[in-house]
Amino acid sequence: SLGNDVSRVTAIVPTVKRLIEGFRAAGLPVIHTMECHRPDLSDLPPAKRDRGNPSIRIGDVGPMGRVLIAGEPGTAILDELAPLPGEIVIEKPGKGAFYATGLGDDLKRLGARQLVFAGVTTEVCVQTTMREANDRGYECLVAEDATESYFPEFKAAALAMIRAQGAIVG
């Protein structure tokens, strides 16, 4: 609905799949995140719904169900990257995976100290979650070839920020 070319972001699917498979093979936990909202939109602030100039907005009916609503086909994790039974799935109403979710509790329960990030988009959800994790004391690593943006210059800028000053956020 924003008019973005999704070919850039879908190109990383095989790389993300290999990364997930490697974690599973090593017996390491895999946590999936997905930005979505409750069907009644009670977790969607008006400022977020009204932002931008899309042809359809969050909660509106689109070609794959209601946009960014939990349980709708267009919000589902891709089949190639689907969680296995027992893997944690975080439904997040914000850009960062810690906001209004149980991610912090899940990581404590797992005894996690180091996190590896992949997914989309580099400059929004990935970087926001990585910064939140860094603030909480986690060692953070972004798998650069397993993350992407609709805009190459945004990915480059986000990675430059992450690497800056001796990798200040990861």
Side-chain angles (χ1 to χ4, degrees), residues 56 60-67:
I56 54 177
D60 291 347
V61 176
M64 297 180 72
R66 292 179 67 205
V67 175

Side-chain angles (χ1 to χ4, degrees), residues 152-169:
E153 65 275 20
F154 290 5
K155 177 180 178 176
L159 294 176
M161 286 181 235
I162 290 166
R163 288 189 203 109
Q165 299 178 21
I168 197 163
V169 296

Side-chain angles (χ1 to χ4, degrees), residues 4 6 14 20 23 30 33 41 44 53 71 82 95-97 104 115 119 121:
N4 295 326
V6 299
I20 289 172
F23 267 68
V30 175
T33 65
L41 304 179
L44 176 62
N53 191 24
K95 306 305 182 199
L115 305 176
T121 62

Side-chain angles (χ1 to χ4, degrees), residues 37-106:
H37 296 276
R38 296 180 186 132
D40 67 2
L41 304 179
S42 61
D43 60 351
L44 176 62
K48 182 177 179 183
R49 180 171 162 79
D50 296 341
R51 193 171 297 130
N53 191 24
S55 59
I56 54 177
R57 298 192 178 278
I58 297 170
D60 291 347
V61 176
M64 297 180 72
R66 292 179 67 205
V67 175
L68 284 182
I69 300 300
E72 295 288 332
T75 305
I77 295 172
L78 298 174
D79 289 342
E80 303 94 320
L81 307 176
L84 294 180
E87 290 181 343
I88 296 168
V89 178
I90 301 293
E91 293 183 349
K92 59 187 188 75
K95 306 305 182 199
F98 287 91
Y99 171 71
T101 73
L103 178 59
D105 294 334
D106 290 327

